[in-house]
Amino acid sequence: MVGKKIAIVFGKGLDGCGVEKFGYEWQRYDPENIDVFALKERAFNRGGTHISDYIEFKPDEMSTIAERLNKDYDIVIINSYPSPMHSQKTVTSFYRDLILKIEKPILVSMMHEIIQSNYDRIPLQVAISNAADVVFNFSTHTNYAKDMARILTNKKLGERIARMKLPLTLDDFQKWRITHDQKKRRCIYAGRWSSMKQPNVIIELWERDKDFHYALHGIEKSIGAKYDVIDPCDYFRKYTGTYNYDSERCECFGEFDYNQGMTLISESMFGYSGFHLPKMPHNYGDRFEYAQMEIIACGTVPIFDMHYGNHNRAVDGSLFADHPIAIWNDRTNLDMTIDLIHTIADDHTTYYQYNEDGLEFLHQEAESSVVIPHMIRHICIMGKQEDKWNTQDLLREVYKTEEVYDEFNYLLDNHITALGVKEIDNGDLSYFEKKARLVHKNVSELNTQSLEDFFG
């Protein structure tokens, strides 16, 4: 399938996180045929961390970009979407003047969120998925995939609602792989703060194990991070290359650039990533996060959460936890994790075996040259959807009334429109204002009011 002209569109702009990394891996897989387009409205501190070669477009250029996409590309992948922090005109134009104007190429929607409160924060996300010919999420078992199949009944799970994997080019990390005797006796967390990633386990390990060094890196200031890790630690805005081994508290450092982060991981014997979804194991998606993959790819032994390992399956059907690629950490038994840290660190043969098994497993599950062709093939087999609903059909199907169409368009003209699973399940028309999500009315009441009364 190499040779297909593919455009990857970042409707949010480049944010420097895993979504950008995903686009970068696609772009470099076939740089002659895969181009990146990025909206310029909001600036992100880490934006452009991965992608430097891209076509930038402004909010008033949506129609021009749509014409170019129709003319020059076979596949258009929407990799991110304007958020409630973008302007109302931008959000509406992205939908009306870009999404709805893609005619010739196969239109693909990538959803990188797994929790409903997060994907419902994307304006018009159900309408965008409806307009797509193929919708990808991490598996067909996630809430998102099942929600889309339930709402968009003309898109079947495993076909037009399909599984994506996060690709990684393992050869890129050879420059960071060093020998066992060059590594430092430390275990670090390197990534943004998220309660799902359990960074505070590093603090617990530090408190229990004074014969090994533990530290956190990449922690940006936020309310959640403040109480979880910043207040209990010695917090420093930047890492200057040294630790205070006599510190009375675990050390915690702010964000880092990508190369520094990979160096910190590669020079450490262990890298910790505690990603877990104890109440939503179906949302794991049988996959690694980039922060997890990078530990393995750098030649460092990872420490992963046992619940995560017991609820993700490899392509051969085996559980991740059945593979000796990581220390599988049970938070209720950290002493066992500490024993394994010391055992593996003190035996270079065992350490290398973890490295080799990890790299082999990662190649099987995530290597770009394996993952991307499979996804392109699926997109091409699905092709254009002939029975796709237009916006009016979608609204009629999900709200069971004809009257909603005019009100929805009025809302598009005046507000940042929400159309998430929550709206559809509740029968609401809603919009975003600042950080709030406001409900105008339940659609059952639309017949009794004029537009002016309805929208105030």
Side-chain angles (χ1 to χ4, degrees):
M1 295 297 178
V2 175
K4 291 288 183 182
K5 292 290 292 183
I6 300 174
I8 301 178
V9 179
F10 286 80
K12 183 181 178 181
L14 300 178
D15 62 4
C17 297
V19 177
E20 183 181 326
K21 174 70 171 173
F22 179 90
Y24 168 75
E25 290 293 342
W26 273 73
Q27 182 188 46
R28 68 187 307 272
Y29 169 72
D30 186 8
E32 295 298 315
N33 291 296
I34 300 180
D35 296 322
V36 170
F37 291 75
L39 176 69
K40 182 182 181 181
E41 182 175 291
R42 296 187 63 210
F44 298 88
N45 290 335
R46 293 182 290 184
T49 296
H50 305 289
I51 297 174
S52 58
D53 181 14
Y54 61 95
I55 300 154
E56 195 170 69
F57 64 98
K58 298 176 182 177
D60 61 1
E61 296 176 314
M62 299 289 187
S63 295
T64 302
I65 292 300
E67 290 176 8
R68 182 171 179 179
L69 295 175
N70 278 318
K71 177 176 177 289
D72 296 338
Y73 296 92
D74 303 299
I75 298 170
V76 173
I77 296 173
I78 309 299
N79 200 43
S80 71
Y81 313 87
S83 74
M85 302 302 291
H86 287 79
S87 73
Q88 179 269 326
K89 288 184 178 180
T90 296
V91 172
T92 298
S93 183
F94 185 78
Y95 179 61
R96 281 180 170 165
D97 302 323
L98 196 153
I99 295 293
L100 295 184
K101 295 299 172 64
I102 301 300
E103 297 171 352
K104 179 181 75 70
I106 302 170
L107 182 61
V108 178
S109 170
M110 295 289 180
M111 178 50 66
H112 293 271
E113 301 291 351
I114 53 176
I115 298 174
Q116 183 182 336
S117 60
N118 290 339
Y119 56 74
D120 269 1
R121 282 287 297 170
I122 298 172
L124 298 162
Q125 64 95 0
V126 172
I128 292 171
S129 294
N130 172 68
D133 299 298
V134 184
V135 177
F136 281 101
N137 195 223
F138 296 116
S139 87
T140 54
H141 303 294
T142 61
N143 282 356
Y144 181 80
K146 290 180 178 179
D147 281 339
M148 291 305 100
R150 171 172 59 87
I151 294 167
L152 308 176
T153 55
N154 56 2
K155 287 179 166 61
K156 292 184 179 179
L157 284 172
E159 297 179 8
R160 296 201 178 276
I161 300 172
R163 178 190 181 187
M164 70 175 177
K165 284 193 172 185
L166 299 182
L168 192 74
T169 305
L170 294 183
D171 285 348
D172 287 351
F173 293 84
Q174 287 182 348
K175 61 185 175 183
W176 281 300
R177 294 175 199 152
I178 59 178
T179 60
H180 174 269
D181 61 334
Q182 292 175 303
K183 288 178 173 285
K184 297 176 174 60
R185 292 180 65 84
R186 72 180 183 223
C187 172
I188 67 166
Y189 173 89
R192 64 182 177 86
W193 179 85
S194 168
S195 59
M196 290 190 299
K197 301 173 188 287
Q198 303 183 93
N200 53 14
V201 167
I202 287 288
I203 303 172
E204 295 181 30
L205 290 169
W206 179 87
E207 291 171 342
R208 289 169 179 254
D209 182 16
K210 301 304 182 184
D211 295 324
F212 217 81
H213 192 65
Y214 300 87
L216 297 111
H217 291 268
I219 307 299
E220 300 170 351
K221 288 187 175 181
S222 67
I223 294 298
K226 172 180 168 59
Y227 295 109
D228 191 42
V229 294
I230 291 177
D231 285 354
C233 290
D234 276 340
Y235 181 77
F236 302 93
R237 188 70 179 79
K238 287 192 175 182
Y239 174 67
T240 59
T242 58
Y243 295 105
N244 176 13
Y245 293 97
D246 296 322
S247 174
E248 294 183 0
R249 292 191 294 174
C250 183
E251 291 182 291
C252 176
F253 302 89
E255 61 241 81
F256 48 77
D257 66 43
Y258 187 76
N259 287 329
Q260 182 188 41
M262 295 306 101
T263 300
L264 282 165
I265 292 170
S266 69
E267 291 179 351
S268 303
M269 283 191 166
F270 299 91
Y272 170 79
S273 180
F275 176 50
H276 78 148
L277 298 168
K279 296 180 180 180
M280 300 180 289
H282 54 285
N283 279 337
Y284 281 126
D286 297 324
R287 51 99 189 189
F288 290 114
E289 288 196 315
Y290 276 120
Q292 296 173 304
M293 291 192 277
E294 287 162 351
I295 297 169
I296 299 172
C298 282
T300 292
V301 174
I303 300 173
F304 294 151
D305 185 80
M306 178 67 81
H307 184 272
Y308 164 84
N310 283 331
H311 290 88
N312 281 274
R313 291 193 178 275
V315 292
D316 62 4
S318 61
L319 291 173
F320 278 25
D322 291 340
H323 297 265
I325 62 171
I327 293 175
W328 296 104
N329 177 56
D330 178 355
R331 192 165 183 174
T332 65
N333 190 2
L334 290 181
D335 288 339
M336 182 178 70
T337 296
I338 291 169
D339 287 344
L340 283 170
I341 286 173
H342 287 272
T343 298
I344 297 168
D346 292 339
D347 184 346
H348 71 275
T349 301
T350 301
Y351 192 91
Y352 285 137
Q353 191 62 55
Y354 271 85
N355 285 162
E356 290 176 13
D357 290 346
L359 288 169
E360 181 179 347
F361 188 77
L362 189 56
H363 184 277
Q364 167 188 295
E365 296 296 314
E367 167 60 39
S368 294
S369 61
V370 175
V371 170
I372 293 175
H374 176 80
M375 291 182 67
I376 295 174
R377 190 176 302 112
H378 185 88
I379 292 167
C380 292
I381 290 171
M382 288 295 100
K384 295 293 292 181
Q385 183 180 358
E386 298 301 327
D387 62 344
K388 193 191 307 181
W389 295 333
N390 60 31
T391 304
Q392 189 168 8
D393 292 336
L394 169 67
L395 296 170
R396 183 190 304 115
E397 288 288 335
V398 301
Y399 287 119
K400 309 304 180 186
T401 177
E402 296 285 348
E403 283 72 17
V404 69
Y405 183 63
D406 288 339
E407 279 82 348
F408 177 77
N409 280 312
Y410 193 98
L411 195 59
L412 280 178
D413 290 334
N414 293 278
H415 294 285
I416 298 175
T417 307
L419 189 64
V421 176
K422 181 178 181 179
E423 275 70 38
I424 291 167
D425 286 349
N426 292 343
D428 293 329
L429 286 177
S430 303
Y431 67 96
F432 296 104
E433 188 169 282
K434 295 182 179 179
K435 294 186 178 181
R437 184 196 207 96
L438 303 178
V439 176
H440 270 305
K441 281 284 185 176
N442 187 278
V443 294
S444 63
E445 303 175 58
L446 293 184
N447 292 328
T448 64
Q449 293 180 297
S450 67
L451 289 182
E452 289 75 18
D453 289 338
F454 181 69
F455 289 101

